Amino acid sequence: MPGLRERFKQYAPPFIHRVVGAARGLLGQPPQEQRVLHGYDVFPEADDRPRLNLVIPSIEPRMAFGGVLTGLDFYLRLAAATGAQARVIIDDFNPAPDRSVLDAACRRIGLEPARVTVVPRATDAPRIGVGARDIFIGYNWWTMLNMQALVAAQAQAAGGKRAPCIYICQDFEPGFYPFSSTHLVAWRALRGEGPWWAIYNSAELASYLAALGVAPEEAFVIEPTLSPALRPFLPQGPVPRTRRLLVYGRPGVPRNCFPAVVAGLREWAASYPGAARWEVISAGAPHRPLALGHGVELRAAGKLSLDDYAGMLRGTAIGLSLMASPHPSYPPLEMAHFGVLTVTNDYAFKVMARAHDNIVALEDIRPESIAAALTAACARFEADPAVGANGRSHRPAYLSDDLYPFLPALAAKLALHWGAGG
């Protein structure tokens, strides 16, 4: 039976949740690890058929951004390649998850949605069955830590033979937090407990983590590729472009450096004589309009459909997108390949200008540096509005149709593990 806490979560009216949330805010939130780490009520299952389990916080449509979609797509393709049973274990509390995004991802790759079981979370310690040939795949640092109880139960069911767990590592997650207990706990997921395999979302991220001493038993790399949904809109040659500066603006995500973006834009508006003739639009997250001075305003585009976003890219002259991370973020790559003159930044092993002629990557994101790069890009566009169409990609994998070239090798290694009685 659900405990008092679970019954409260499920049945309390929304206004009660808001009151309790406000009270918690006044008292101070506990650190994230205390809010997301939990146990499982594990029981053995006699069925020993191979099964791949994705442990993911949420599959709700409102959470279906790039990382979630990449995680689901990779997992489902791996399930299809191995022929294993497929089970998605929801880590966030959600007694009735909406699986429409999951089902759509299944259909895109020709996998019958009914093949994939979804296990919701309705209690603090969800009851999960574990068999001898289960393999667990974590989506982020806390799912990796939470599923260690499931991995231990699998080893017990297999007579002590522990299967490798798999970490879909899409960024350097400890870097999402200041030096703190949460930072250290997130680091623990990268140390592993027993054998673990990494799926790194870029060679740059793999190099960065290797330099920090992270050493999985096996490592595979997903190279960034242009979303198949955007490919039909990719310009073939010059297209009409307006004096529009498109910003990737996410005020609530520190690694996207929104304060530096705004400071750079204000310096550009003050120093570039033609700034008032340019429209400055922010995409990524909603925010209030921001006056940049000298007749220039930064306006949020709001929620863009895929068609609207593609149209925005096709008609934009200049792009600005920053990210404090070793992983090459997607917006600058999308902008550059759509013919947008793009200003972004480097970090550690990430050298963005190597990806495309249209990219200028900064080592210094002080306002003067951002403004100078934007001014130079504007001058290039004013001199030749078709200049972005002449830029060439130097990242062949970005336009490849083979999203996971390592998939056969990974499936073969899993088959060997299962065939050895794992």
Side-chain angles (χ1 to χ4, degrees):
M1 291 290 291
L4 179 61
R5 181 179 175 185
E6 287 74 43
R7 288 197 296 271
F8 172 80
K9 288 178 179 177
Q10 190 166 2
Y11 299 116
F15 80 92
I16 295 293
H17 283 283
R18 289 195 293 272
V19 170
V20 171
R24 283 179 176 167
L26 292 173
L27 296 173
Q29 282 278 9
Q32 185 165 357
E33 66 272 19
Q34 293 182 17
R35 291 180 276 128
V36 297
L37 297 182
H38 64 84
Y40 284 99
D41 177 12
V42 182
F43 65 93
E45 287 185 338
D47 190 342
D48 67 349
R49 288 177 295 174
R51 178 167 57 187
L52 290 173
N53 303 268
L54 175 66
V55 185
I56 189 169
S58 175
I59 57 172
E60 293 297 308
R62 63 184 175 82
M63 302 298 292
F65 300 114
V68 169
L69 295 176
T70 296
L72 287 175
D73 183 72
F74 164 73
Y75 164 72
L76 294 171
R77 289 178 189 271
L78 182 60
T82 60
Q85 295 185 86
R87 179 172 63 169
V88 174
I89 299 171
I90 305 300
D91 194 72
D92 283 354
F93 183 88
N94 188 350
D98 178 347
R99 56 176 293 161
S100 59
V101 169
L102 171 65
D103 291 348
C106 287
R107 287 189 287 269
R108 275 196 298 272
I109 67 165
L111 187 67
E112 175 55 47
R115 269 196 58 190
V116 184
T117 302
V118 174
V119 180
R121 181 181 173 197
T123 64
D124 278 352
R127 186 165 172 77
I128 301 288
V130 177
R133 295 210 285 177
D134 271 310
I135 285 182
F136 294 94
I137 302 172
Y139 172 80
N140 62 4
W141 65 266
W142 67 81
T143 59
M144 284 294 295
L145 296 176
N146 285 339
M147 75 189 195
Q148 292 308 313
L150 305 178
V151 175
Q154 175 277 321
Q156 185 175 14
K161 183 174 176 58
R162 182 173 177 141
C165 54
I166 298 175
Y167 186 177
I168 304 176
C169 186
Q170 300 198 58
D171 209 327
F172 177 55
E173 293 182 310
F176 294 0
Y177 312 98
F179 287 158
S180 60
S181 60
T182 308
H183 176 88
L184 292 176
V185 174
W187 250 115
R188 183 166 180 77
L190 287 165
R191 297 192 187 103
E193 296 182 18
W196 70 284
W197 299 355
I199 311 296
Y200 291 130
N201 197 13
S202 76
E204 292 90 339
L205 178 61
S207 296
Y208 182 78
L209 289 171
L212 293 177
V214 175
E217 190 177 76
E218 299 278 355
F220 303 89
V221 173
I222 301 174
E223 290 292 1
T225 57
L226 181 64
S227 165
L230 284 175
R231 292 187 189 207
F233 302 99
L234 200 65
Q236 303 299 320
V239 294
R241 297 182 186 274
T242 63
R243 290 186 182 90
R244 180 191 301 133
L245 200 167
L246 179 63
V247 171
Y248 187 54
R250 296 207 292 173
V253 182
R255 66 185 181 277
N256 285 118
C257 309
F258 191 69
V261 166
V262 173
L265 289 171
R266 285 186 169 139
E267 180 66 25
W268 167 78
S271 61
Y272 180 53
R277 294 186 297 157
W278 285 71
E279 176 188 34
V280 187
I281 297 292
S282 170
H287 59 79
R288 62 182 177 82
L290 294 173
L292 301 174
H294 304 275
V296 184
E297 184 179 65
L298 173 64
R299 293 186 297 106
K303 186 174 177 58
L304 293 174
S305 69
L306 187 68
D307 288 10
D308 290 340
Y309 177 57
M312 182 79 74
L313 290 174
R314 288 174 65 94
T316 290
I318 311 296
L320 173 61
S321 179
L322 305 180
M323 189 164 87
S325 167
H327 171 61
S329 61
Y330 289 96
L333 294 173
E334 291 166 351
M335 291 174 180
H337 284 80
F338 267 77
V340 179
L341 300 180
T342 304
V343 177
T344 185
N345 65 285
D346 288 336
Y347 186 100
F349 295 91
K350 178 173 72 175
V351 184
M352 292 296 291
R354 292 177 183 169
H356 202 284
D357 292 342
N358 287 340
I359 291 178
V360 171
L362 307 174
E363 293 183 356
D364 171 9
I365 63 164
R366 287 178 297 176
E368 297 81 3
S369 299
I370 294 173
L374 292 176
T375 293
C378 290
R380 289 181 65 199
F381 176 77
E382 297 280 13
D384 179 8
V387 62
N390 299 323
R392 294 291 174 263
S393 176
H394 302 290
R395 197 162 187 145
Y398 188 71
L399 297 175
S400 171
D401 293 325
D402 190 358
L403 304 181
Y404 316 109
F406 60 85
L407 200 61
L410 175 56
K413 286 182 180 293
L414 290 173
L416 282 174
H417 171 80
W418 283 320

